[in-house]
Amino acid sequence: NIGLVRYPTTLAPASGSVAVTTQCADNAHVRTGFSLSVRCTSSGSWSGTTPQCECNDGYRAVTVSGRQICQTQSVTATTCPARNIGLVRYPTTLAPASGSVAVTTQCADNAHVRTGFSLSVRCTSSGSWSGTTPQCECNDGYRAVTVSGRQICQTQSVTATTCPARNIGLVRYPTTLGPASGSAAVTTQCADNAHVRTGFSLSVRCSSSGSWTGTTPQCECDTGYRAVTVSGRQICQTVETTCPPTTECPSICTATSETPLSPPGPGDRENGCTCSEESSSSAVIAVSAVSLLLILTLTTVILTQCLLIFRMKRSMNKTETYAEATNPTSKTTDVPFSPNEAYALTKITSPAEEVIYEVVQ
């Protein structure tokens, strides 16, 4: 059974192949443009284009015990809805009265289940899907592209315009096959642990020229997460992430595990450190005290130099130097000196440790 198509058990021919007519499920008919005819080969395999059937008016396709049937739409029942996740196809499935029922999903055409994954999921009585999400990938020679919001596998030889995959902030754009003309609606996604920002939409458009149009979506991290950039790509990371062990804090700061902020200040962070009001004030007081001490020292040095210069000028203007204090006639100055005049000699020691005398006439 493939969808609503029923293949009968058929005896294979000794060679070549034989034509076989399949059937649609009850209350279903062959889809326009398709045929119920296939072929059974001598190797025991089916060949030919896969038939397509659809339910008659007033019926809908549901899966019961892994088999699709057509059920009247008047029947009220809980169902697990059909959905497409990547290349995986979930069928509409009638939910059981209690517990859950196993359902086998399918990969898109020209795709297969990825190694290590299973196509089996479960449909619960509440109408929700449970179990590990299946993963499918395109066969060799095919590539995954998005057409009208649905991923398919397209031959790599097909030349077509595509809107490229890209990451803008926390928004993820998928590689999308551009339409022949105009543009097609595409739904972007937020990164893990992020959601669309209020007032914005995840919907954009892929144009036939291969460019993205429309308002750029905006996503933000969920509560308890923060946006960080890793290898040029924004992700949402838990706020409990600690600082690297090599982080060194200034003496006026306290280590913290929170996000460094800039510029630093009281209550802010610098290189993974938190600066508190108290530690910052203490640092300011210490710096002020050192500055005041330097100013006082400089002032003392300047005053001492000024006093020394003043005394030297006074000595040069009012003193005469003699080789010996007891011999006034051996003075070395050109100032006239009369032995008959009375002089008062005052002994002064110069900065050069030489003996000079102040002469008062």
Side-chain angles (χ1 to χ4, degrees):
N1 300 315
I2 298 180
L4 293 170
V5 182
R6 306 291 184 254
Y7 285 69
T9 301
T10 301
L11 183 64
S15 61
S17 63
V18 61
V20 178
T21 301
T22 60
Q23 291 183 327
C24 290
D26 293 340
N27 304 309
H29 59 275
V30 64
R31 184 169 290 175
T32 303
F34 287 86
S35 170
L36 290 173
S37 180
V38 292
R39 301 192 71 84
C40 174
T41 68
S42 58
S43 63
S45 60
W46 294 103
S47 66
T49 303
T50 302
Q52 295 285 330
C53 294
E54 58 188 2
C55 292
N56 298 336
D57 292 341
Y59 291 84
R60 61 178 177 177
V62 296
T63 301
V64 178
S65 299
R67 185 183 185 188
Q68 273 198 2
I69 63 172
C70 290
Q71 186 184 71
T72 58
Q73 294 180 347
S74 60
V75 175
T76 301
T78 302
T79 59
C80 294
R83 66 179 183 178
N84 301 315
I85 298 182
L87 293 169
V88 183
R89 307 292 184 252
Y90 285 68
T92 301
T93 303
L94 183 65
S98 62
S100 62
V101 62
V103 177
T104 300
T105 60
Q106 290 183 328
C107 290
D109 293 340
N110 304 309
H112 60 273
V113 65
R114 184 170 290 174
T115 303
F117 287 87
S118 168
L119 289 173
S120 180
V121 293
R122 300 192 74 83
C123 172
T124 69
S125 58
S126 63
S128 60
W129 294 103
S130 65
T132 302
T133 302
Q135 296 285 331
C136 294
E137 59 188 2
C138 292
N139 299 337
D140 292 340
Y142 291 83
R143 61 176 179 178
V145 296
T146 302
V147 178
S148 300
R150 186 183 187 189
Q151 273 198 1
I152 63 171
C153 290
Q154 184 185 71
T155 57
Q156 293 180 346
S157 60
V158 173
T159 302
T161 302
T162 59
C163 294
R166 64 179 183 177
N167 301 315
I168 298 183
L170 294 169
V171 184
R172 307 293 183 251
Y173 287 67
T175 300
T176 303
L177 181 65
S181 61
S183 62
V186 178
T187 300
T188 60
Q189 291 183 326
C190 290
D192 293 339
N193 304 310
H195 59 274
V196 64
R197 183 169 290 173
T198 303
F200 288 86
S201 168
L202 289 174
S203 180
V204 292
R205 301 192 72 84
C206 172
S207 70
S208 57
S209 63
S211 60
W212 293 104
T213 61
T215 302
T216 302
Q218 295 286 330
C219 295
E220 59 188 2
C221 293
D222 298 338
T223 303
Y225 293 83
R226 62 176 179 177
V228 297
T229 301
V230 178
S231 301
R233 185 183 187 189
Q234 273 199 1
I235 62 172
C236 290
Q237 186 181 69
T238 56
V239 296
E240 289 79 14
T241 302
T242 57
C243 292
T246 56
T247 300
E248 296 182 359
C249 302
S251 59
I252 63 172
C253 294
T254 304
T256 181
S257 63
E258 298 188 20
T259 310
L261 301 178
S262 180
D268 290 341
R269 289 87 175 167
E270 180 182 12
N271 297 325
C273 303
T274 300
C275 300
S276 64
E277 293 281 358
E278 180 179 355
S279 60
S280 296
S281 299
S282 300
V284 172
I285 293 173
V287 172
S288 299
V290 172
S291 298
L292 181 60
L293 181 59
L294 290 174
I295 292 172
L296 291 175
T297 303
L298 183 60
T299 302
T300 302
V301 171
I302 293 174
L303 291 175
T304 302
Q305 293 294 328
C306 290
L307 180 60
L308 181 59
I309 294 171
F310 173 75
R311 293 187 61 183
M312 290 180 66
K313 287 184 176 181
R314 184 171 178 272
S315 298
M316 291 173 63
N317 293 333
K318 295 185 178 182
T319 63
E320 295 179 356
T321 304
Y322 296 85
E324 292 180 5
T326 56
N327 185 12
T329 59
S330 64
K331 64 182 180 179
T332 58
T333 180
D334 294 329
V335 177
F337 184 85
S338 174
N340 298 323
E341 294 177 346
Y343 292 88
L345 301 180
T346 302
K347 182 179 180 181
I348 300 175
T349 302
S350 72
E353 299 297 333
E354 62 180 338
V355 179
I356 57 177
Y357 290 85
E358 183 176 16
V359 180
V360 181
Q361 195 170 18

